Amino acid sequence: MSINSVPQQRSTARTIPQRRATHLTKPYYRPYIPYLFILPGLALYLLWSVYPLAYQLHISFYDWRIIPGQTSEYVGLANYQAVFADRTFWLAMQNTALYAIVTVAGQMIIGLTLAILVNRVAVAKRFFRTVYYLPVVTSWVVVSFLFVYLFSPGEAGLINFVLTKLGMINEPISWLANSNTAWIAIYSLGIWKGMGWAMVIFLAALQGIPPELYEAAAIDGATEIQRIRFMTLPLIRRTIFFVLIALMIGGFQVFISVLLITGGGPLHRTEVALTYMFDEAFGDLNFGYGAALSYVLALVIVVVSLVQSRLFGRGDQDVEY
Amino acid sequence: MIATSGSQQRILNIVIFLVLCAGVFIAVAPLLYMASTALGGVAYVQTYPPRLIPETINFENFEQAFASRNFLRAALNSGYIAVSTAVLVTALASTMAYGFARFEFRGKKIIFGALLIMIMIPGVVLLIPQFILAKNLGLLNSLPGIILVYSAGPLAFNTFLLRGFFENLPREIEESAIIDGASAFTVFWRIMLPLAAPAISTVAVFSFLGAWDEYLLALNFLTDESLRTLPIAIANFRGQHASNWGLVFAGSLTAVIPTILLFVVFQRYFIQGITSGGVRG
Amino acid sequence: MKTKISLAVLFLLVAVVPISLAQDEPVTITFWHTYNEVSAENQTLVDTLIPMFEAEHPNINVESVPYPYDGFRQALLTSAAGGEGPDLVRLDIIWSPEFAAQGILMNLSEQMPDFQQYADAVFPGPLSTNAYEGAYYGLPLDTNTRVFIYNPAVMPTPPETIDELAAMCESLPEGSFVFSDGGTSGWNLLPWIWSFGGDVTDAEITTATGYVNGEQSVAAIQFLADMLQSGCFSDGFIGSGIDTWGGYFGGTISSMLEGPWLYPTAESQYPDFEIGAALMPAGEGGHISVVGGENVVVSAGTENPEEALEFLRFTQSEAYQLAMSGVGQLTVLNSLLENEYFTNHPYYGVFLEQLQTARARTPHPAYNDIETVLGDAAQLVLRGEMPAQEAMDLAAEEIDALLAGS
């Protein structure tokens, strides 16, 4: 399947049977059959995702008291007005966007480079693929603790030790004490944990490119770099787009790593949207405000994803997200 | 640089190999350091110089972790929850995806659109309303309850992923089976699911990992000590004033090793599944 | 009339049956706390104390539920929101007023008939952290404070005053620090502010202006900023991490403020290290440190108030307090101070002496926010981003608003 499913081969072959099939299969099922397939999953989804989301919207219009027996006061749009005036929230949004941009770029560049190299290497392809993927399957909770430990201050911290030995820094850095260096720790975790996923997907796309194309290019005298730039990248364009969108959505949802590494500190300078929302709701008990924050965040994510689809997905009719 | 000659080619291969090995070091060094700390004895304070291979191997931290009353129990709970979640997500997402991929019905566009939006909404946002709902349904402090909540979260994305996979499968076998009189469920169960095995295994493994790793819901929904899961048990090894990192990482390693094994064992299928879903765009 | 009688009979049945059932079947009460899962505290609680209690009360089962400290406050609030809270909680003393204000805690001075008898038996300082609007919502469970911990190998005699401490900067070896602390929480800053003679608010907790931005408070923050600037104190104050202990045991940090838990943990990794302990160095305000510890509280919504209160009484017994003192949880009972366990103890002496003058962090429902404001203001000063007076003036305004808001 891995080769068949690579887009450039599939795109033409795919549309034809699909059209044919739509009217072929139609007479063979009764009208309620599709619902039998949809409903069990949909029921669970409506109960645990859609209903809570609607309830959260309700909460966002109140000064919500969480303790049973206390009355919550309806405040209309006041929570939303406060969100737009809240400088910490916009700083957190800015941090979230920066996190998404930096880690997505890092994961994509490293993932693509690794994929090209692994595709090219003569031996141990599968070994490399497996090992690069290991960080992806580790637990976020565990690796967040681990990165706190790696980036611990003082000369005994592993990162400080390595950088000192390499002569890149003169004295140990208190990584988590300043937002600039704390971001380095948070970004590194994001990139380290995600690069293997990007690599595996790029690698599959690369493996789907027919070798004849490369041979033809080699005969034409194209250099390695030219081939990558003018042949490989355009051929896997849609894979690149898919990885970009998927990682961006993930990047905007960054939470547990920041919560466990800096908790948004020092001085809210490493706050991201979700840690700030969490802090407002559970730290300061402003559940109505936290709900409004989460709605604004969700809106921003949806808009960013749609804009990206427009910008990068132009002309690709079957891109649906 | 015209087409590279044999010896240049060989040098290039060696360079690529070495670069990849350096990458391997970066990918695994943090995990090695964790293992080394876990095996190195009590570590309230980091020792200098840091070691990727401990000087002496000692299982004191593991012994202490497993001697605590709840750690093994938490591991079993996590295993049960994660496996059940994987099964439930796989079952529900695959039937839903098949419904979207192969049938026309009223409301299809709207329902699918609603699913897509949910992919973008972070799960943390729903913590409070989900908690209140679970309480009203009597599902707090219940493993089946948390399995339902865990299964609902990844449903949207996995349905989306599997729908893409089903759409790309050729129709011919299905159609001939239908002409032979097979029901829609026979077609789904006997023909489509086996064909979709790689994608299904991806969905199963990722749902497993999601449930295995989950922290916030577990902390709030399962307050009964005997129902605790691994991430909470590990966090409980951290102290209020000081932590024995050797112990924390011994617990962590116990949580990470099964996921690595799971991945290595299933990786053939698994990687096919990720990539086929991945290149859908 | 007949219906009335049968109704009454029915009532009696409904009322009596559950009671008789309850006598047969033990009631289970839950006790939430943040003892580290594998700690000696947890083992003592689960293996010794709870069995002891259950033996005396065959009709009550106690289920102990440990939580990670970081997620505890949030888990308590969520559970209260769902009406699914525990029966008893070991609550950090700084959270008591806030939880009382939320209506989550049982008012003991009203609902526990023998409350006064227990209140009289404990240290008044820790007891005061349970007060909210004239009523008490808990009893102290354990107490602690931070004392001046120094390394005798590099600091042969501890400083009597803050000036003496500052003077030690002169003879500081390259690459090391005289003092360090991790962060600018109230726990870290207040001993300096108080010892300088400053405070966060007035005694009635009505205003911060003139206190947190008063001359002495500002001088304390300025002092810390100067010490950081000159490299005499480590930048752990503006950091977060795990290095204060590392530096102390590694010999690069000569002193810190720390609680009694330092000893058992040091014992396991550095059994040969000699730890020096003294009172917080004095300033104009004296040798003032900060009171820590926990209260034991009962949930307002508990379904088993009698059983929960019975366990609460048990936590105030000498047996309970002595057992917990043995694993680093300092007692709150006046009667135990003369007990030979404490008079002969190798290191509790200095902590008990420090407790005589130690103060509690502002007992106010908004303390969590007040601490954030204070810590953030101090951060700006210690980072050299704002003059001390300006930062503390702004903090005073914000804290005043917080005090007025509730």
Side-chain angles (χ1 to χ4, degrees):
Chain A
M1 192 58 217
S2 63
I3 293 198
N4 288 345
S5 66
V6 167
Q8 56 285 348
Q9 289 199 323
R10 203 191 52 215
S11 49
T12 46
R14 217 184 84 195
T15 45
I16 300 162
Q18 206 169 7
R19 244 172 244 142
R20 190 170 43 130
T22 309
H23 62 259
L24 240 183
T25 42
K26 211 166 190 176
Y28 292 93
Y29 57 85
R30 289 170 214 270
Y32 63 82
I33 295 285
Y35 295 104
L36 294 185
F37 279 100
I38 301 291
L39 281 180
L42 193 63
L44 192 72
Y45 172 75
L46 286 175
L47 184 63
W48 291 107
S49 294
V50 175
Y51 170 74
L53 197 64
Y55 197 84
Q56 183 81 325
L57 185 66
H58 173 75
I59 290 177
S60 74
F61 295 122
Y62 286 82
D63 175 15
W64 193 259
R65 306 276 92 211
I66 58 156
I67 310 304
Q70 299 182 343
T71 43
S72 303
E73 189 192 342
Y74 178 78
V75 294
L77 290 172
N79 285 327
Y80 288 92
Q81 283 165 347
V83 169
F84 285 97
D86 184 342
R87 282 171 57 193
T88 309
F89 175 67
W90 292 108
L91 174 67
M93 282 305 290
Q94 199 181 318
N95 286 338
T96 311
L98 257 175
Y99 174 87
I101 291 167
V102 172
T103 56
V104 170
Q107 290 171 85
M108 291 188 71
I109 292 168
I110 295 175
L112 188 59
T113 311
L114 288 176
I116 290 171
L117 295 181
V118 171
N119 194 33
R120 195 71 176 58
V121 76
V123 288
K125 265 194 190 15
R126 184 169 296 169
F127 166 77
F128 286 122
R129 194 182 60 182
T130 308
V131 170
Y132 287 135
Y133 203 77
L134 285 186
V136 182
V137 298
T138 56
S139 143
W140 272 108
V141 175
V142 165
V143 293
S144 299
F145 288 161
L146 178 59
F147 268 60
V148 170
Y149 197 62
L150 288 179
F151 281 91
S152 54
E155 56 180 3
L158 185 67
I159 301 286
N160 275 337
F161 178 77
V162 170
L163 293 183
T164 315
K165 288 287 165 206
L166 292 177
M168 290 168 76
I169 54 175
N170 292 327
E171 52 184 36
I173 294 177
S174 300
W175 292 95
L176 304 181
N178 291 295
S179 55
N180 291 340
T181 46
W183 280 123
I184 293 178
I186 296 166
Y187 292 158
S188 323
L189 173 56
I191 295 171
W192 176 80
K193 198 167 185 315
M195 63 188 187
W197 184 80
M199 190 249 357
V200 161
I201 290 180
F202 285 132
L203 183 61
L206 293 177
Q207 286 171 342
I209 298 176
E212 303 90 78
L213 283 181
Y214 277 118
E215 281 155 25
I219 291 164
D220 288 348
T223 64
E224 201 84 36
I225 302 289
Q226 283 171 330
R227 270 193 267 165
I228 291 170
R229 169 74 186 80
F230 294 107
M231 251 185 57
T232 314
L233 293 187
L235 280 173
I236 61 165
R237 182 174 44 110
R238 284 164 49 190
T239 304
I240 293 177
F241 172 65
F242 168 81
V243 173
L244 175 70
I245 291 282
L247 290 181
M248 269 299 198
I249 291 176
F252 270 95
Q253 301 194 1
V254 58
F255 173 61
I256 201 85
S257 59
V258 178
L259 182 77
L260 296 180
I261 292 177
T262 63
L267 293 169
H268 291 299
R269 284 172 187 173
T270 61
E271 208 81 77
V272 289
L274 286 178
T275 54
Y276 185 57
M277 183 216 89
F278 188 73
D279 197 39
E280 282 294 323
F282 291 101
D284 296 342
L285 304 180
N286 294 328
F287 284 91
Y289 189 62
L293 286 177
S294 60
Y295 263 87
V296 176
L297 171 70
L299 194 72
V300 170
I301 297 179
V302 172
V303 168
V304 167
S305 306
L306 292 179
V307 167
Q308 279 182 324
S309 299
R310 276 287 138 79
L311 280 182
F312 297 98
R314 228 177 3 216
D316 285 40
Q317 288 307 316
D318 46 336
V319 169
E320 271 148 2
Y321 33 96
Chain B
M1 187 171 117
I2 318 258
T4 40
S5 71
S7 64
Q8 276 174 309
Q9 195 67 259
R10 203 170 306 140
I11 292 170
L12 190 62
N13 270 333
I14 292 171
V15 170
I16 289 177
F17 185 77
L18 291 178
V19 170
L20 286 175
C21 287
V24 165
F25 180 76
I26 290 173
V28 300
L31 298 174
L32 268 185
Y33 190 45
M34 176 165 84
S36 156
T37 308
L39 289 166
V42 175
Y44 282 98
V45 172
Q46 286 176 307
T47 47
Y48 184 89
R51 294 178 177 281
L52 290 184
I53 315 279
E55 248 176 325
T56 53
I57 302 251
N58 125 23
F59 288 95
E60 188 186 336
N61 291 317
F62 288 88
E63 280 162 20
Q64 204 185 359
F66 279 96
S68 93
R69 301 182 310 139
N70 299 305
F71 191 71
L72 190 63
R73 184 62 177 268
L76 294 176
N77 285 340
S78 277
Y80 170 68
I81 292 175
V83 168
S84 311
T85 303
V87 169
L88 196 59
V89 171
T90 310
L92 296 178
S94 61
T95 45
M96 252 173 127
Y98 186 66
F100 283 118
R102 286 298 200 251
F103 296 106
E104 290 304 324
F105 53 92
R106 199 181 286 245
K108 179 172 162 175
K109 278 235 163 75
I110 294 178
I111 299 173
F112 196 70
L115 276 177
L116 284 191
I117 294 284
M118 197 53 98
I119 295 178
M120 302 177 198
I121 299 193
V124 200
V125 164
L126 304 179
L127 182 61
I128 278 279
Q130 282 178 338
F131 179 85
I132 294 172
L133 181 61
K135 189 224 159 201
N136 291 338
L137 297 177
L139 290 175
L140 288 178
N141 270 327
S142 125
L143 294 184
I146 204 150
I147 290 165
L148 287 178
V149 188
Y150 281 172
S151 301
L155 206 51
F157 179 74
N158 288 314
T159 302
F160 172 71
L161 190 127
L162 288 174
R163 187 200 69 143
F165 197 91
F166 283 135
E167 279 185 346
N168 291 343
L169 292 175
R171 299 225 168 199
E172 286 73 15
I173 317 171
E174 237 177 316
E175 280 162 8
S176 56
I178 294 171
I179 291 164
D180 289 345
S183 75
F185 291 97
T186 313
V187 171
F188 171 71
W189 183 254
R190 288 277 161 79
I191 299 173
M192 298 309 274
L193 275 190
L195 283 175
I200 299 276
S201 71
T202 309
V203 169
V205 171
F206 267 114
S207 326
F208 178 94
L209 288 179
W212 181 260
D213 187 18
E214 207 283 330
Y215 178 77
L216 275 187
L217 289 174
L219 184 71
N220 290 293
F221 281 46
L222 304 174
T223 54
D224 192 333
E225 202 188 4
S226 60
L227 301 176
R228 281 279 168 75
T229 61
L230 267 185
I232 310 299
I234 294 168
N236 273 346
F237 285 154
R238 291 192 66 180
Q240 183 176 343
H241 302 292
S243 299
N244 174 3
W245 289 87
L247 179 67
V248 173
F249 289 145
S252 302
L253 210 60
T254 314
V256 163
I257 285 173
T259 65
I260 289 181
L261 286 180
L262 189 74
F263 164 66
V264 171
V265 170
F266 285 104
Q267 71 153 319
R268 237 189 104 96
Y269 267 152
F270 182 63
I271 292 215
Q272 276 181 30
I274 319 171
T275 52
S276 53
V279 292
R280 225 205 76 67
Chain C
M1 189 62 195
K2 225 176 190 178
T3 45
K4 263 191 184 166
I5 292 173
S6 51
L7 263 181
V9 170
L10 195 70
F11 245 92
L12 271 176
L13 277 176
V14 170
V16 168
V17 168
I19 291 174
S20 56
L21 278 180
Q23 277 168 345
D24 295 334
E25 245 175 74
V27 175
T28 298
I29 54 173
T30 50
F31 177 39
W32 288 13
H33 55 79
T34 54
Y35 296 127
N36 171 347
E37 178 83 44
V38 295
S39 61
E41 292 102 309
N42 198 41
Q43 279 160 15
T44 306
L45 177 69
V46 172
D47 299 336
T48 313
L49 293 170
I50 289 180
M52 191 194 289
F53 177 77
E54 287 175 343
E56 288 168 24
H57 302 84
N59 62 327
I60 308 177
N61 280 339
V62 182
E63 190 183 306
S64 133
V65 187
Y67 269 84
Y69 183 79
D70 284 340
F72 193 49
R73 190 166 173 278
Q74 176 242 327
L76 278 171
L77 290 169
T78 332
S79 72
E84 292 281 323
D87 297 300
L88 291 132
V89 187
R90 174 179 180 263
L91 196 65
D92 193 318
I93 55 170
I94 54 174
W95 297 335
S96 269
E98 184 184 3
F99 278 66
Q102 285 290 334
I104 301 174
L105 308 183
M106 183 192 277
N107 181 340
L108 293 188
S109 34
E110 231 168 54
Q111 299 188 34
M112 186 177 171
D114 48 354
F115 174 77
Q116 200 53 47
Q117 174 197 331
Y118 287 91
D120 293 341
V122 296
F123 302 156
L127 177 67
S128 71
T129 63
N130 291 287
Y132 172 67
E133 296 195 336
Y136 286 89
Y137 291 82
L139 280 166
L141 182 62
D142 55 71
T143 187
N144 57 56
T145 185
R146 308 178 91 196
V147 300
F148 185 80
I149 297 287
Y150 61 98
N151 180 354
V154 286
M155 191 185 277
T157 48
E160 175 63 22
T161 64
I162 292 173
D163 289 340
E164 281 179 40
L165 179 69
M168 290 177 174
C169 297
E170 308 298 326
S171 53
L172 183 71
E174 182 73 20
S176 61
F177 303 97
V178 163
F179 183 87
S180 179
D181 209 339
T184 51
S185 64
W187 183 243
N188 304 336
L189 287 179
L190 288 171
W192 298 97
I193 293 180
W194 287 328
S195 295
F196 263 80
D199 207 339
V200 180
T201 66
D202 59 335
E204 287 74 35
I205 320 182
T206 54
T207 177
T209 299
Y211 296 87
V212 79
N213 61 343
E215 195 186 327
Q216 290 96 339
S217 300
V218 172
I221 302 296
Q222 187 62 52
F223 169 78
L224 292 177
D226 293 344
M227 290 293 111
L228 255 70
Q229 190 73 40
S230 66
C232 178
F233 286 14
S234 105
D235 68 355
F237 273 104
I238 59 168
S240 59
I242 46 183
D243 74 326
T244 304
W245 285 23
Y248 176 73
F249 289 110
T252 55
I253 289 170
S254 317
S255 67
M256 58 186 178
L257 289 177
E258 207 42 283
W261 44 82
L262 175 71
Y263 290 84
T265 34
E267 181 75 17
S268 61
Q269 197 175 355
Y270 296 95
D272 300 328
F273 194 95
E274 193 195 341
I275 296 173
L279 295 183
M280 166 79 198
E284 271 179 52
H287 304 269
I288 315 290
S289 187
V290 58
V291 173
E294 277 77 19
N295 294 324
V296 53
V297 299
V298 178
S299 289
T302 175
E303 284 166 14
N304 312 300
E306 283 314 314
E307 290 80 4
L309 284 175
E310 201 46 41
F311 188 77
L312 181 125
R313 290 185 186 102
F314 174 63
T315 64
Q316 307 294 307
S317 66
E318 290 198 351
Y320 186 101
Q321 292 281 320
L322 265 180
M324 275 302 186
S325 295
V327 289
Q329 301 282 304
L330 214 46
T331 186
V332 291
L333 291 182
N334 292 315
S335 61
L336 282 180
L337 279 185
E338 304 304 319
N339 186 295
E340 59 185 25
Y341 174 80
F342 288 96
T343 48
N344 295 337
H345 196 276
Y347 57 81
Y348 275 164
V350 62
F351 289 93
L352 290 171
E353 190 184 348
Q354 182 71 72
L355 271 172
Q356 309 283 322
T357 56
R359 288 199 218 161
R361 287 156 285 177
T362 322
H364 190 275
Y367 178 73
N368 213 40
D369 290 337
I370 294 174
E371 178 173 275
T372 308
V373 170
L374 176 65
D376 286 358
Q379 282 286 324
L380 288 171
V381 181
L382 299 192
R383 286 158 188 270
E385 293 176 18
M386 200 184 269
Q389 187 66 53
E390 186 186 345
M392 298 325 264
D393 285 346
L394 290 171
E397 249 175 68
E398 281 186 62
I399 295 173
D400 279 345
L402 288 169
L403 295 175
S406 57

